[in-house]
Amino acid sequence: VLLIRRYFKLPVDKLLFYRGYKNENNNIMGGELWLQMNERKIAQKIETDKELPKKQELITFCYNLYKQKKYVDFIINHLLIHYGFRNKDLNIIFTKDKKVISKTLQNTKTYTDNYIYPTKSYVWLVVNDYKTASTYGKKKFIVRSKWFLNAINKVMEKQTRLIVNPKEKSDVSNEGIGRIIQDMTYKKMGETRYFKTIIKDIFDNHSDIKERKNLLKLYSETRGTCVETIISSYSTGIPI
């Protein structure tokens, strides 16, 4: 509308004020439209967050996947629930080559992907390629769950990556894994709403302040983000 009115040399002052703009002193003027849009966004977020399940529902769903021998789905849900991973973190290559995992653990630049390396009793999980890697660096974890280890070995019998194209069984780019992961989650919730559920559980079911801080710190490290961002962006009690 602004472009059309300007083309025909019609006044646009009221439209600009309604939309909101910066004056010569860099101060925000007007902005009723922005406020209305933001209010709708906040209201929608609050309403959506009311529908979040209990964390235990996600855990039950996850272990039922294992019992159903849906091992890829189980691995993905396990990492989303217990590590708060983003979609990109899950673009993982399986390796049985000890040299590969040794090199990537040594902070060399030879291997820069995300890797899973199973041993006889635990799994090495190394995440190099994720959203905030430039800030938080390499993420390294040892997963000791026997169910997780067994699921990894089962999947490695058939494929070399955790996530492949469901039809063609070919590699998937970071940009293409989001929909695949969402389809594997509980009620197709997706990664972001999983993490909101986890954070909501911390505030709802852990009243001890020290315990709550420790859990937030844990997920801060496994996800690769600061506690302040977790609280402001994923805590459902803060509608912003």
Side-chain angles (χ1 to χ4, degrees), residues 202-217 227 231:
I202 291 174
F203 282 94
D204 288 351
N205 298 314
H206 300 275
S207 57
D208 181 79
I209 298 300
K210 184 177 180 181
E211 182 182 11
R212 187 182 291 176
K213 284 182 176 179
N214 287 339
L215 285 168
L216 288 171
K217 184 174 182 291
V227 171
I231 293 172

Side-chain angles (χ1 to χ4, degrees), residues 40-129:
R40 285 197 295 270
K41 183 179 178 182
I42 289 171
Q44 184 181 19
K45 177 183 181 299
I46 293 172
E47 193 61 34
T48 302
D49 290 347
K50 286 180 182 177
E51 301 170 1
L52 291 174
K54 301 291 184 183
K55 181 184 176 183
Q56 187 56 49
E57 291 179 59
L58 302 187
I59 293 172
T60 300
F61 172 77
C62 179
Y63 285 101
N64 281 338
L65 292 172
Y66 183 91
K67 293 173 184 177
Q68 296 164 18
K69 299 183 179 181
K70 295 181 178 179
Y71 296 119
V72 171
D73 301 46
F74 166 77
I75 294 165
I76 287 170
N77 278 270
H78 182 93
L79 294 174
L80 290 174
I81 295 167
H82 297 289
Y83 291 82
F85 276 10
R86 300 181 182 89
N87 290 334
K88 190 176 182 180
D89 302 42
L90 296 166
N91 199 356
I92 296 171
I93 297 171
F94 297 126
T95 181
K96 291 184 177 180
D97 189 338
K98 194 171 183 179
K99 182 183 73 174
V100 172
I101 203 67
S102 297
K103 290 286 185 181
T104 193
L105 286 171
Q106 292 169 11
N107 296 316
T108 62
K109 295 183 179 180
T110 310
Y111 301 99
T112 57
D113 292 306
N114 303 330
Y115 300 96
I116 274 181
Y117 173 79
T119 70
K120 289 183 178 180
S121 56
Y122 60 85
V123 175
W124 264 114
L125 174 59
V126 183
V127 185
N128 293 297
D129 184 20

Side-chain angles (χ1 to χ4, degrees), residues 1-9 12 15:
V1 176
L2 280 170
L3 289 173
I4 293 171
R5 292 187 68 85
R6 281 171 172 159
Y7 180 81
F8 288 105
K9 298 182 179 179
V12 295
L15 276 174

Side-chain angles (χ1 to χ4, degrees), residues 218-238:
L218 173 66
Y219 277 106
S220 167
E221 293 170 353
T222 57
R223 188 171 178 84
T225 190
C226 64
V227 171
E228 290 79 6
T229 297
I230 289 176
I231 293 172
S232 65
S233 298
Y234 299 99
S235 174
T236 59
I238 303 174

